[in-house]
Amino acid sequence: DIAQVLERTGCIARVYTVPFGDYQREIALTVPPELRVIMYRRLMFKVAEEIARRERAGALVTGESLGQVASQAVDLPVFRPLIGTDKLEIIAEAERLGSFEISSQDAPDCCTLFMPRSPETHAKLPVVLEAEAALPIERWVPEIADAAEV
């Protein structure tokens, strides 16, 4: 629904849905609890990068604000046009675009099922890479991207 609203602004409205639940469960079983969110995000970014490469996109664009930026591990540039925007400004822009009501709807979120009590907010890269090494990321990324639905 948000993609359809954004399409009216000139954006290309192509949404990919990826089957992430099984991989998220595997991460939850393998990675220390405090690093799970970072691992989820890193895998999501890597899959997004793979899909972007297949689409011949030159970058990824996110809607993160400064307080939401998490680790990612991709080679493509990541643009965050909302990085310096506060919550009230983001809400005002969403209202102007017509996406606020859609964004405010309750939606099922499987992420909460695998959320640790105390997620790491200042992880050290060597620790993250060590935890990530226990996962078959190189196999997962194309596998997930292949299963994505447009």
Side-chain angles (χ1 to χ4, degrees), residues 40-107:
Y40 303 152
R41 299 269 312 191
R42 288 175 64 85
L43 181 57
M44 287 179 198
F45 267 100
K46 288 178 183 204
V47 171
E49 179 181 47
E50 176 64 21
I51 292 170
R53 287 181 200 266
R54 293 176 183 192
E55 289 287 343
R56 293 183 171 89
L60 300 174
V61 180
T62 74
E64 298 165 307
S65 62
L66 186 58
Q68 297 173 303
V69 174
S71 297
Q72 87 273 347
V74 295
D75 295 325
L76 282 177
V78 178
F79 299 123
R80 295 179 173 93
L82 302 178
I83 196 76
T85 311
D86 70 29
K87 186 175 181 175
L88 294 177
E89 292 170 314
I90 292 170
I91 290 170
E93 184 64 11
E95 287 173 335
R96 187 185 72 72
L97 292 172
S99 64
F100 180 75
E101 292 300 321
I102 299 166
S103 302
S104 300
Q105 295 173 6
D106 284 335

Side-chain angles (χ1 to χ4, degrees), residues 14-56:
R14 188 174 305 128
V15 175
Y16 284 85
T17 305
V18 297
F20 195 68
D22 290 341
Y23 305 93
Q24 196 170 14
R25 274 187 286 284
E26 186 65 30
I27 290 169
L29 292 170
T30 307
V31 172
E34 65 275 7
L35 295 177
R36 287 180 192 162
V37 174
I38 292 171
M39 289 300 140
Y40 303 152
R41 299 269 312 191
R42 288 175 64 85
L43 181 57
M44 287 179 198
F45 267 100
K46 288 178 183 204
V47 171
E49 179 181 47
E50 176 64 21
I51 292 170
R53 287 181 200 266
R54 293 176 183 192
E55 289 287 343
R56 293 183 171 89

